[in-house]
Amino acid sequence: MTTPEEDDPMRRRTLLAGAGGLAAGALAGAGPAYGAADPIRSLGTALLNPPIENAEPVSLDELRRAVAVVRSSFQQAKYGDVATLMPKVLARTMATRAELDSTDGVAMANRYLAELYTLTTELMIKVSDDRLAWTAADRALQAADACGDVLTQSTTRRSWGIVLRRSGQADTARQLVLDTAAALQPSLHRGPEHLSVYGTLLQTGAYTAAVDGDRDTAKSLIAEASDAAARVAAGPYATAFNPIAVGLYQVSIARVLGDSGAAIEHARRIDPGAIPVVERRARYYSDVARAFHQWGKPEPCYRALLAAEQASPDEVRYRPAIHRITESLIRHPNARHFPGLTAFARRTGVPV
């Protein structure tokens, strides 16, 4: 027999709303520790609780501009801005897709949705929230398959491969990335965009092999990526994939293979001022800091962290790997000789 309270629709709605909020909080809180008002946490909540009511649809042209703003914010390494913008733009993209009648229009909306979810995946990887990265990557794959664009599908599969690797499935990740690259090979003559995505897949495959300890495969794949980058650089169109991008991966690959000195040598061949994308420049300094930290050289490690912060405050504010290095520097016997370290730690949210 039910009680009056159980029959009360308003009470049931209140209880359901409360239970939903608790569930979302528990899931979002299971990853890295974010502040209550942190935009990354808010984005995670939005991913786990997509809005029941659709947002207002917009034109495809307005959608294109909104996606471009999110993309630009990520490239400028403004991760907090990306997380703030993303829920609204995702909701509007889904609402717009639902209102479209033409096949081409729906395909374009799905393409934008795949890009947004891929950017979300990359952001969650940066903050080491692997479960939310998995969620975003899965949704990116669905949207990419629905849009039918081979380059979008290849890019989302690359992100999926990274998520698989981080979940401990390096063999599966490597096979997925290399199969995707092989499927692109017959189309490389179609333009620099195809060659760019192909080379980016090779870079990811090389890094995945390095993480798995397969030095020979990593070396051969990054060499092939370097050849592809030279072909892109020699063409009439600039893309995000180029010799500098390969150099950045060479730094990362050497580091994960334990070759700290080789990582720094690769880094010294790169002029950070020539890295046009802020996100990549900040990542360059972060990788240099991680290599020096691994090598047991705290002073240049700290200088690289300061350079990363100068390139992008969000790079040091949101990345757990940087927080761990900062904590190690604070505990170092020579910490008092690192000017401004305590203030740096406070700016990045590391307890002092």
Side-chain angles (χ1 to χ4, degrees):
M1 180 176 177
T2 59
T3 66
E5 289 83 0
E6 289 170 330
D7 276 337
D8 182 355
M10 180 60 71
R11 178 177 172 80
R12 285 201 302 273
R13 285 197 296 271
T14 302
L15 288 172
L16 286 171
L22 286 171
L27 284 168
Y34 305 128
D38 194 288
I40 305 287
R41 183 186 183 94
S42 298
L43 173 56
T45 301
L47 283 175
L48 294 169
N49 290 285
I52 296 174
E53 295 183 2
N54 285 336
E56 177 132 4
V58 297
S59 69
L60 282 173
D61 196 48
E62 288 177 286
L63 201 57
R64 175 185 58 79
R65 289 196 295 268
V67 173
V69 169
V70 178
R71 184 193 310 120
S72 175
S73 296
F74 185 87
Q75 291 173 342
Q76 293 175 48
K78 296 179 178 178
Y79 307 135
D81 289 354
V82 173
T84 300
L85 291 166
M86 189 66 78
K88 181 181 291 186
V89 180
L90 279 171
R92 285 184 176 173
T93 306
M94 288 185 277
T96 302
R97 181 182 61 177
E99 293 293 318
L100 290 167
D101 295 324
S102 72
T103 301
D104 289 346
V106 172
M108 183 58 69
N110 277 317
R111 185 173 177 179
Y112 290 143
L113 199 58
E115 181 177 355
L116 291 169
Y117 277 127
T118 298
L119 287 171
T120 303
T121 303
E122 294 185 16
L123 178 59
M124 291 304 172
I125 288 169
K126 280 185 178 292
V127 302
S128 296
D129 199 326
D130 292 335
R131 281 187 286 182
L132 287 177
W134 183 289
T135 298
D138 180 66
R139 293 181 188 174
L141 277 174
Q142 294 179 43
D145 287 342
C147 86
D149 178 71
V150 66
L151 295 184
T152 302
Q153 292 168 343
S154 299
T155 300
T156 57
R157 278 161 176 71
R158 172 184 171 270
S159 293
W160 183 241
I162 295 172
V163 170
L164 286 173
R165 171 182 57 77
R166 290 173 64 89
S167 70
Q169 303 178 65
D171 287 343
T172 303
R174 190 195 314 186
Q175 196 62 51
L176 170 67
V177 170
L178 295 184
D179 286 349
T180 304
L184 269 182
Q185 276 186 317
S187 304
L188 296 184
H189 65 281
R190 295 179 59 183
E193 293 82 6
H194 287 73
L195 191 57
S196 177
V197 173
Y198 173 75
T200 302
L201 286 162
L202 292 177
Q203 289 178 152
T204 302
Y207 184 83
T208 302
V211 170
D212 207 28
D214 189 343
R215 186 180 297 267
D216 291 339
T217 300
K219 183 178 179 180
S220 63
L221 288 176
I222 200 64
E224 190 173 350
S226 182
D227 290 341
R231 291 165 61 189
V232 172
Y237 303 106
T239 73
F241 173 72
N242 51 44
I244 291 178
V246 175
L248 295 175
Y249 262 86
Q250 288 173 322
V251 176
S252 301
I253 288 168
R255 178 179 57 78
V256 299
L257 285 171
D259 299 336
S260 307
I264 297 303
E265 282 303 311
H266 284 300
R268 285 173 176 154
R269 297 188 190 116
I270 299 171
D271 174 10
I275 304 173
V277 178
V278 174
E279 181 267 334
R280 292 191 176 190
R281 195 181 316 134
R283 189 176 63 190
Y284 163 84
Y285 286 120
S286 291
D287 255 1
V288 169
R290 295 172 75 175
F292 274 127
H293 177 68
Q294 181 177 270
W295 202 1
K297 295 182 178 292
E299 292 91 349
C301 170
Y302 177 49
R303 288 198 298 271
L305 288 181
L306 290 175
E309 183 188 33
Q310 185 174 15
S312 164
D314 280 6
E315 177 73 12
V316 297
R317 181 180 298 133
Y318 286 113
R319 301 200 66 178
I322 301 302
H323 295 173
R324 289 191 292 270
I325 292 174
T326 305
E327 290 168 353
S328 174
L329 290 176
I330 289 171
R331 295 193 300 268
H332 195 276
N334 294 330
R336 66 183 182 279
H337 299 305
F338 306 152
L341 176 58
T342 299
F344 172 81
R346 289 189 177 124
R347 291 196 301 274
T348 59
V350 173
V352 177

